[in-house]
Amino acid sequence: MIISFEGIDGSGKSTQAHRLLHRLANAGYEPLFVREPGGTDVSERIRDLLLDKRNRIDPMAEMLLFSAARAQLVSEEIRPHSRGGGVVICDRFFDSTVAYQGGGRGIADPRWLLDFQETVTGGLVPDRTYYIRVPVDVARERLTHRDSRAGADRMENEDRAFFTRVTEAYDRIAEWAADRVRVIDGARDADAIAKAIWQDVEGLLPERN
Ligand code: Z5A
């Protein structure tokens, strides 16, 4: 079973993905946790290229690099684990490419990109996607504190209009893929969000051996 977490940077999706990881582990599951881009040697090297703010990357090249990192991650990690009956938690998956490169950058029709991503993953689609939705200003405010310490990466340096377009694209994905995507109000406190997600996940979980 594959569960993905999506949202703009600062939405709190990584917080929720980790909360679910711990909750599943406590319940006796052995989930695989992956983040995108990354998760394999090759994909982590692509991540370094993509997030290094010294690099100027053509938008089409950017989309293909994110997709390349994902194809590698799917074949090396996600597919083998989910085929064996395991639970996989993805901190971002292909909806990020549709929202950021399709919506944010406008490199191609988001609907076309969504179809293309199914080719990238060999047809592998999450069973559930939690889209943690927060207003752009709330996300940026949260990151102000963090980035003053760590420094923003190449993607985080984009302006408010970019993240507004990304949000609009996520909203459209949630409509197109309403069967798998659950929109979660990310402005609430982290405990309340984790509780709502767990209630939903419990109904999806496979039997433990
Ligand atoms: N990207 C792309 O363009 N195309 C793609 O196909 C893919 C990715 C896969 C990856 O960056 C970048 O690549 C990302 C999208 C792009 N760029 N942007 N912008 P990353 O992996 O370094 O980071 P990220 O995935 O974007 O986000 P993150 O750093 O993991 O943050 P987050 O998941 O959005 O939020 P968080 O770390 O859980 O929380 C952020 C802060 O808010 C933190 O201080 C928390 O303590 C706080 N927080 C969390 N929840 C709450 C609540 N509920 N209330 C208040 N405060 C909270």
Side-chain angles (χ1 to χ4, degrees):
M1 187 174 85
I2 300 167
I3 301 172
S4 62
F5 284 80
E6 295 284 354
I8 57 173
D9 196 21
S11 60
K13 58 163 187 50
S14 296
T15 301
Q16 294 303 326
H18 282 100
R19 293 252 187 145
L20 180 60
L21 173 70
H22 293 127
R23 188 104 199 221
L24 283 170
N26 286 339
Y29 291 87
E30 294 178 5
L32 170 71
F33 186 95
V34 292
R35 68 159 181 188
E36 279 223 46
T40 72
D41 286 349
V42 166
S43 310
E44 288 291 332
R45 284 159 78 177
I46 297 173
R47 177 187 178 89
D48 290 343
L49 273 177
L50 281 163
L51 299 188
D52 187 338
K53 55 188 165 207
R54 293 169 304 180
N55 292 336
R56 288 186 163 203
I57 303 179
D58 171 83
M60 183 60 74
E62 179 183 273
M63 185 278 285
L64 292 169
L65 283 168
F66 276 116
S67 302
R70 176 168 309 124
Q72 189 72 27
L73 179 64
V74 167
S75 73
E76 262 190 55
E77 298 288 342
I78 299 178
R79 192 182 299 285
H81 194 83
S82 64
R83 247 196 205 145
V87 180
V88 184
I89 299 174
C90 303
D91 187 352
R92 295 196 179 284
F93 200 47
F94 60 63
D95 294 322
S96 288
T97 302
V98 178
Y100 279 79
Q101 281 64 55
R105 298 267 192 251
I107 64 140
D109 173 23
R111 188 81 234 190
W112 177 86
L113 262 181
L114 195 56
D115 291 342
F116 174 65
Q117 287 303 313
E118 282 205 40
T119 306
V120 168
T121 67
L124 193 139
V125 174
D127 297 283
R128 180 69 89 225
T129 297
Y130 296 106
Y131 162 32
I132 313 293
R133 192 181 194 288
V134 292
V136 173
D137 291 333
V138 171
R140 286 168 79 86
E141 174 62 24
R142 287 179 187 170
L143 294 180
T144 308
H145 303 292
R146 192 184 68 183
D147 292 345
S148 61
R149 297 195 303 275
D153 64 36
R154 195 180 63 85
M155 298 300 297
E156 289 164 353
N157 273 331
E158 293 298 333
D159 62 13
R160 190 178 186 288
F162 177 86
F163 289 102
T164 301
R165 292 195 298 278
V166 173
T167 299
E168 288 165 358
Y170 269 129
D171 290 347
R172 269 182 287 161
I173 296 167
E175 286 171 21
W176 292 334
D179 52 335
R180 76 171 160 88
V181 179
R182 295 290 174 269
V183 184
I184 305 286
D185 175 5
R188 291 178 294 163
D189 80 81
D191 288 345
I193 299 169
K195 192 173 169 194
I197 290 173
W198 181 248
Q199 277 172 353
D200 185 63
V201 167
E202 271 188 306
L204 304 171
L205 285 172
E207 291 289 321
R208 267 175 299 137
N209 297 325

